[in-house]
Amino acid sequence: FIVVMPCTTFADTFKIGERLRAKIKRSSGVSVSIGVSHDDLLTDSVYELLDHADKALCEAKKCGRDKVLTLSNLGGIPSECQL
């Protein structure tokens, strides 16, 4: 599903995603992977915005699941997987 949060900073969007992930895990034991995107990441269209979120979600699953990831605007690399 998609959550749209207008008038929310990128940092706050990421924090809300993390709180949502943790609350679902705590209340149900289900792990949740979340991909975050924001219009500050130099997107040209809503489709590109959704594509960034989808790529971050796929990478969150590849990086061990139960994570909130975002694509950095430097090369489209998920921020949490840059080690």
Side-chain angles (χ1 to χ4, degrees), residues 59-75:
E59 289 301 320
K61 291 178 179 181
K62 287 180 191 175
C63 291
R65 298 183 182 256
D66 201 31
K67 295 182 184 292
V68 177
L69 288 185
T70 180
L71 294 184
S72 71
N73 49 353
L74 299 173

Side-chain angles (χ1 to χ4, degrees), residues 10 36-44 48-49 52 70-74:
F10 185 71
V36 175
S37 187
H38 195 274
D39 62 358
D40 285 353
L41 294 179
L42 305 174
T43 54
D44 293 327
E48 193 173 4
L49 191 68
H52 286 182
T70 180
L71 294 184
S72 71
N73 49 353
L74 299 173

Side-chain angles (χ1 to χ4, degrees), residues 10-82:
F10 185 71
D12 286 343
T13 303
F14 191 86
K15 289 175 189 174
I16 291 166
E18 181 55 37
R19 284 197 318 253
L20 179 63
R21 183 207 61 76
K23 186 165 187 139
I24 291 170
K25 178 79 171 196
R26 195 171 44 254
S27 65
S28 68
V30 175
S31 68
V32 176
S33 298
I34 297 175
V36 175
S37 187
H38 195 274
D39 62 358
D40 285 353
L41 294 179
L42 305 174
T43 54
D44 293 327
S45 70
V46 69
Y47 299 107
E48 193 173 4
L49 191 68
L50 292 172
D51 184 57
H52 286 182
D54 185 54
K55 286 178 180 173
L57 171 62
C58 291
E59 289 301 320
K61 291 178 179 181
K62 287 180 191 175
C63 291
R65 298 183 182 256
D66 201 31
K67 295 182 184 292
V68 177
L69 288 185
T70 180
L71 294 184
S72 71
N73 49 353
L74 299 173
I77 301 168
S79 58
E80 291 281 319
C81 292
Q82 293 179 9

